[in-house]
Every structure is written in C-alpha cells, then in structure tokens.
Amino acid sequence: MNKYTITEFRKDYPDDDTCLDKIFQLRFSNLVCPKCEHEKCFSKVHDRRSYQCKNCGFQIYPTAGTIFEKTTTPLTIWFYAIFLQTTTRNGVAAKEFERQFNVCYKTALRMAHQIKILMANKESEPFTGIIEGDETYIGGENKNRHANKKVKGTQGRSTKDKTPVFGLLQRGGNVSATVLNDVKIESIKPVVNAKVEKGSTLVTDDFGGYKTISEGYYHLSVNHKNGEYVRGMVHTM
C-alpha cells in the first residue's frame, strides 16, 4: 500500500468546506431525511456548518457530537493535526501542534487529547456496514532472493518465509490488520467475530478459508479463479 503523502492530503482537504463535506459523507452517506423521509440530496448551507434537505429544509450538523463540535479552530487545522497524529510513528506532542498551528498551548493540548481519545474509541468500536476482508503475505518473493538465500517449499500459501496478515476494511471507515500464524478458518474467524458487528455485510474473495465465516454475516464474494474481481459493489481491497 502506498504511503499517503502530505501533498495528497493538502490536495484532498484544501479548505474547511471540503473537510466538512468529508465528515458529512462519513456520518450521513445515503441519508434519508428524518423529517420528511425524502431521498433528495442534502445541500451545504452557505456560511454554516450544516446541510439542508432540499425538500423540507431540515438541517443536519455533521460536527454535532464529534470532537469538532463548537470548535473555533478551522477544520483544516484539525484534519492536519489528525494526519500528523496518525502518520507519525510516536504521535505528536501538544507543543508541536502549538508551534505548527500558531495556537495557544491550551488549544493545542485539547486537540491532541481529543484526537487520541477519538483514535482509542475507533480502535475499540466494531466495524459495521460493508466490510472487505482479504489476506496477504509480508516478505520478499523467493524468486528475487540470491541462490544461497532461497527457501524451499514456499509456493502458494506457505508461511516458511512470509508472515500472513489478515486485513479488514470498513468502507468509508477504519482499517484493521492482524498478524496471524496462518490463514486457516480457525485463525481468521475469531478476528472477524471480534472486529465485525453481526449483521454486517462481509465481502471477500472465494478463498476456502472464508467459506464458513459467514455465520451471522451477509457474505458476498468474487471468484478470482474465474477472473472475477469486481461485481457491482462486491470487490475487495
């Protein structure tokens, strides 16, 4: 997976409206108006952190109930702080936020604290909605090694020279990666049960290890052996 760079970040989130739109999409995708039950799209209200139903005028405030509620700090700064906190190996101290954002230490400390709480909560919340699951093996390919470093019997799903990792991606949400000893159903199923809420849609490929994993989930798959990688909403990361 390619590293998400600061250049890409600044292109994706150039202003507060773009940041607000991202929050709205994450929290209220495919929203049906709770007042008139109309499915018309909500539109951004000018100069306000809200979106309005095009049919009845009912307004939604995407930042309500989040760490951004009532903040006077621009959302671009909040997003950049989250970017730094999640891409830096050991996190970022409040003093660094104070220097980079030219805010008072009290504000910087609150931001750092709130972001850490948010990260901790997200890690503990089960994945819901549509979740993609897939396995991979970390380690160089045997064919690229020098002759004296090649390992015999590493074809297929051998773990002699590679580490199996099982990944879960919540569409529009978090990513989880778990290191396993192998990718047998006995190893994968407990991870899914612990991280994915029952009743969610689980999307995988047709690997045999997933065949009995669907208990309690709506399981969809694509058949890579037949050259199928995407079928409508059914695809993996």
Side-chain angles (χ1 to χ4, degrees):
M1 185 180 294
N2 294 330
K3 185 177 180 181
Y4 186 58
T5 66
I6 184 60
T7 301
E8 293 171 318
F9 170 81
R10 286 173 174 163
K11 181 180 178 181
D12 288 343
Y13 305 107
D15 51 49
D16 268 28
D17 282 348
T18 305
C19 295
L20 186 67
D21 192 54
K22 182 64 174 181
I23 298 170
F24 180 77
Q25 289 174 19
L26 290 174
R27 299 192 69 195
F28 303 106
S29 59
N30 301 318
L31 177 67
V32 174
C33 180
K35 184 178 180 180
C36 69
E37 299 185 351
H38 208 280
E39 296 183 2
K40 281 189 176 181
C41 294
F42 276 63
S43 58
K44 173 75 172 58
V45 178
H46 181 64
D47 288 338
R48 299 181 70 179
R49 287 182 177 175
S50 65
Y51 286 74
Q52 182 170 284
C53 173
K54 293 182 177 179
N55 186 58
C56 70
F58 178 80
Q59 293 192 9
I60 292 286
Y61 291 79
T63 58
T66 73
I67 62 173
F68 313 112
E69 185 175 9
K70 297 182 180 179
T71 182
T72 57
T73 304
L75 292 178
T76 49
I77 291 181
W78 273 102
F79 271 45
Y80 185 42
I82 293 171
F83 172 82
L84 292 176
Q85 198 70 270
T86 55
T87 57
T88 305
R89 184 183 296 273
N90 297 316
V92 180
K95 274 292 183 184
E96 183 63 21
F97 284 168
E98 181 185 16
R99 286 190 292 269
Q100 290 219 29
F101 306 144
N102 193 29
V103 296
C104 69
Y105 181 69
K106 183 178 179 180
T107 297
L109 184 63
R110 178 181 177 275
M111 291 178 68
H113 184 62
Q114 291 295 320
I115 291 170
K116 287 176 181 177
I117 291 175
L118 179 65
M119 291 169 64
N121 288 342
K122 283 299 181 183
E123 287 173 359
S124 62
E125 290 178 1
F127 288 8
T128 60
I130 301 175
I131 295 91
E132 300 171 21
D134 205 355
E135 80 287 348
T136 189
Y137 294 81
I138 306 300
E141 292 189 27
N142 206 34
K143 65 181 181 180
N144 296 329
R145 298 188 176 103
H146 293 294
N148 64 339
K149 293 184 178 180
K150 290 184 182 295
V151 181
K152 292 183 178 181
T154 60
Q155 294 83 3
R157 297 178 182 274
S158 170
T159 58
K160 286 185 177 181
D161 62 337
K162 299 180 184 67
T163 301
V165 177
F166 177 62
L168 289 167
L169 167 67
Q170 179 181 1
R171 291 188 185 173
N174 289 342
V175 175
S176 168
T178 305
V179 176
L180 302 174
N181 292 324
D182 54 58
V183 289
K184 296 178 181 178
I185 184 61
E186 294 83 4
S187 300
I188 294 175
K189 195 167 185 177
V191 177
V192 174
N193 289 338
K195 294 181 180 291
V196 181
E197 187 173 285
K198 294 292 185 180
S200 300
T201 299
L202 186 63
V203 181
T204 70
D205 58 28
D206 61 335
F207 170 51
Y210 303 131
K211 287 183 178 178
T212 61
I213 210 169
S214 57
E215 182 180 348
Y217 304 101
Y218 181 44
H219 186 204
L220 302 172
S221 63
V222 287
N223 192 330
H224 289 175
K225 291 179 182 178
N226 293 339
E228 181 185 46
Y229 290 88
V230 179
R231 187 177 70 256
M233 61 162 278
V234 187
H235 59 82
T236 59
M237 53 189 129

